[in-house]
Amino acid sequence: MMKKIFYLLTMAVAVMTVVSCSNEEDDLFGDSSANRANAEVKKTIEVLSAPSNGWIMQYFPGEPSEWGGYNMLVKFDADGKVKVANEVSFADYTETSYYSVKQSAGVMLSFDTYNNLFHVFSDPSAPLAGDQGTGMEGDYDFSVMSATAEKVVLKGRKQGTYVELTPMPTDMTWEDYLKKLTVVKNEMLSLKYTLDINGKQLIGSPYRRTLVFNDTDADGNATTISVPFVFALDGMNTYGKVNVDGVDITGFKYSEDGNFVSREGDASVVLKQVEQPLNQLLIGYQWFCSYENMGTYGKKAWAYFGQGLEEIGDVLIYALVGTFNSRFGFHFASLASDGNAYSGGLNMDVTLISDNKVKMQFNQSGYGSGAWYHEYAKMDYALFPFGYNKAKTFTITTDNAKMPSYLILSDDSDKNNVIKLSYSVVYFPFLVEE
């Protein structure tokens, strides 16, 4: 009996000790974990909704080295609504949708309902770019890494890509910001760059929102360096620090002279635009044709080409002039009546006469399905405006020699033969006949 009483007293002391320790933990660590989590969520919402003019969101969808970055403007309301604008849409256009902030292995910010301006970067139907089924693979659920009045840092839950938000200036409208950003973007873009670094010069070109430079390693092997970036009003910001030839770079400062010094202030690290001769632009890149941008002569010739496609039941997908697979000439893709796509080209000889003049003529050769379409779909007429039976000499003009959106070829011997070629892809739903 005495043993049982002693055992019960011992258990009572142990229970009292546990209760005492539990109370002591509450005193040491403050509120419960659930309350602390709710407080973090509440604080995050307060930070997000505080700026009266919203935030500048520098967003990198998917893999930064593949897509680079884009500017979005976002304004969060405390009631769960978010207004969005972005640099790839009209400057005065916004859409409002819903967001949420909750605890999920840390504080998570989610853009819950579909917003065309935000989810265009994650939509698997690829409305902006990317492959069907994946799109640009951007995130819309983010871990909140830090949130202060000066900066919010997010990390994509799926891709792990970091995103920074900084307060939008209160003395500027969203529309003005996006318009000024477009000016800087247009001024800084170029089809060719050089990068002065460590006493040498690297040659590079843009690929989406990345700069791609060619270099050699210590063993003399060719290497490629990709620099993902996003535009800002004062230049370019890279995705984090990018190491180029042993030098860390975080971006380049905008300058009207086309020489952009690194943000680190090192005058020996300079990104320079290269203005190329117009005929070099023609032969060095791919320029898309459209029926609407042909002159009178070209439209008549392409009407016969359209008849040839109609007779075999095919539809032209695209057509371009320039260099493709190391061949200069006319290149195309077509959708046949059997549902299969075919492609190929007809090669042309080209002579560079001066910086803005070129002579072209079909050289009776081709590749892929080019010869078949030449014989059975009247594709010879597609080359008439460019030089088929005899060479044609063109004078070339453009809107911007550093980053042209088009080239205009004016036939020196026929004022009715003027062809406008687009740097952006042009797809043919069909060929219009006159």
Side-chain angles (χ1 to χ4, degrees):
M1 183 65 177
M2 288 296 293
K3 287 182 179 181
K4 186 177 291 187
I5 291 172
F6 177 79
Y7 176 76
L8 291 174
L9 287 171
T10 303
M11 290 298 295
V13 170
V15 170
M16 290 174 66
T17 302
V18 170
V19 172
S20 175
C21 288
S22 177
N23 289 336
E24 186 177 352
E25 282 188 11
D26 285 344
D27 291 337
L28 287 174
F29 295 103
D31 209 346
S32 68
S33 59
N35 286 342
R36 290 197 301 272
N38 290 335
E40 289 179 6
V41 168
K42 182 180 178 183
K43 179 185 175 183
T44 301
I45 294 174
E46 289 174 351
V47 170
L48 290 174
S49 59
S52 60
N53 205 22
W55 300 84
I56 300 168
M57 184 179 196
Q58 297 204 315
Y59 178 87
F60 288 81
E63 172 56 43
S65 62
E66 181 175 1
W67 300 106
Y70 295 83
N71 281 268
M72 283 195 278
L73 305 181
V74 291
K75 186 178 187 308
F76 300 93
D77 291 338
D79 62 359
K81 291 181 181 179
V82 58
K83 183 172 73 171
V84 180
N86 72 30
E87 65 171 277
V88 299
S89 185
F90 297 110
D92 61 348
Y93 182 65
T94 65
E95 280 196 16
T96 299
S97 52
Y98 288 90
Y99 78 96
S100 65
V101 179
K102 56 191 174 185
Q103 271 287 337
S104 176
V107 180
M108 182 172 75
L109 167 65
S110 297
F111 291 79
D112 294 323
T113 59
Y114 192 88
N115 184 307
N116 284 295
L117 298 181
F118 189 92
H119 292 89
V120 67
F121 300 103
S122 57
D123 193 327
S125 68
L128 184 61
D131 297 324
Q132 287 288 321
T134 57
M136 298 173 75
E137 299 186 293
D139 274 297
Y140 46 84
D141 293 325
F142 302 90
S143 295
V144 179
M145 309 305 293
S146 63
T148 67
E150 292 75 30
K151 182 189 292 187
V152 173
V153 179
L154 309 175
K155 182 180 181 182
R157 284 289 179 105
K158 181 172 62 176
Q159 300 293 343
T161 306
Y162 285 90
V163 176
E164 287 190 358
L165 283 71
T166 53
M168 174 72 187
T170 56
D171 60 351
M172 185 182 301
T173 67
W174 284 20
E175 184 176 351
D176 285 343
Y177 179 89
L178 292 174
K179 286 181 176 179
K180 290 181 179 180
L181 185 72
T182 298
V183 171
V184 173
K185 179 168 55 179
N186 291 341
E187 288 289 326
M188 292 191 74
L189 280 173
S190 181
L191 285 179
K192 186 177 181 180
Y193 294 94
T194 59
L195 178 62
D196 294 344
I197 190 166
N198 281 344
K200 62 183 179 180
Q201 191 172 75
L202 306 181
I203 306 298
S205 58
Y207 175 70
R208 295 170 177 159
R209 293 295 176 83
T210 66
L211 301 176
V212 181
F213 295 99
N214 299 314
D215 197 6
T216 54
D217 61 20
D219 298 323
N221 299 314
T223 60
T224 299
I225 303 168
S226 179
V227 182
F229 70 88
V230 60
F231 285 105
L233 290 187
D234 63 345
M236 298 175 175
N237 295 325
T238 63
Y239 179 74
K241 290 182 179 179
V242 180
N243 189 276
V244 181
D245 202 46
V247 178
D248 286 336
I249 297 173
T250 59
F252 299 94
K253 298 177 182 178
Y254 169 67
S255 173
E256 292 184 358
D257 64 4
N259 298 324
F260 313 127
V261 178
S262 72
R263 289 202 180 279
E264 286 65 34
D266 186 347
S268 66
V269 180
V270 184
L271 178 70
K272 298 178 180 179
Q273 294 174 306
V274 177
E275 185 171 319
Q276 303 176 72
L278 299 186
N279 51 22
Q280 291 283 359
L281 289 174
L282 175 66
I283 68 171
Y285 301 90
Q286 299 164 11
W287 303 92
F288 289 85
C289 309
S290 66
Y291 177 84
E292 293 76 10
N293 285 329
M294 292 282 178
T296 304
Y297 177 80
K299 284 183 177 178
K300 288 180 179 178
W302 275 57
Y304 285 108
F305 176 34
Q307 290 174 6
L309 289 171
E310 186 177 0
E311 288 170 5
I312 63 172
D314 281 22
V315 176
L316 191 66
I317 300 173
Y318 68 78
L320 63 91
V321 170
T323 299
F324 182 73
N325 288 338
S326 301
R327 299 180 177 95
F328 178 81
F330 177 84
H331 314 272
F332 73 95
S334 182
L335 182 64
S337 57
D338 61 6
N340 293 316
Y342 297 91
S343 63
L346 301 173
N347 301 326
M348 303 184 76
D349 291 329
V350 58
T351 303
L352 307 184
I353 300 174
S354 62
D355 285 355
N356 69 334
K357 282 187 181 291
V358 65
K359 182 187 290 185
M360 295 187 291
Q361 184 178 5
F362 176 50
N363 67 12
Q364 304 297 318
S365 69
Y367 71 96
S369 299
W372 191 92
Y373 277 84
H374 178 270
E375 182 172 356
Y376 297 104
K378 299 181 179 178
M379 189 172 278
D380 52 337
Y381 285 97
L383 268 64
F384 273 34
F386 299 97
Y388 183 73
N389 291 320
K390 63 179 182 178
K392 288 183 177 292
T393 300
F394 295 93
T395 299
I396 308 171
T397 55
T398 188
D399 58 338
N400 181 350
K402 294 177 183 177
M403 189 68 191
S405 61
Y406 63 79
L407 295 180
I408 294 178
L409 309 184
S410 300
D411 190 336
D412 285 0
S413 61
D414 186 351
K415 65 180 181 180
N416 294 314
N417 187 27
V418 179
I419 307 162
K420 185 176 182 180
L421 303 172
S422 173
Y423 182 70
S424 300
V425 181
V426 176
Y427 294 106
F428 283 80
F430 51 81
L431 271 174
V432 180
E433 297 182 19
E434 287 192 333

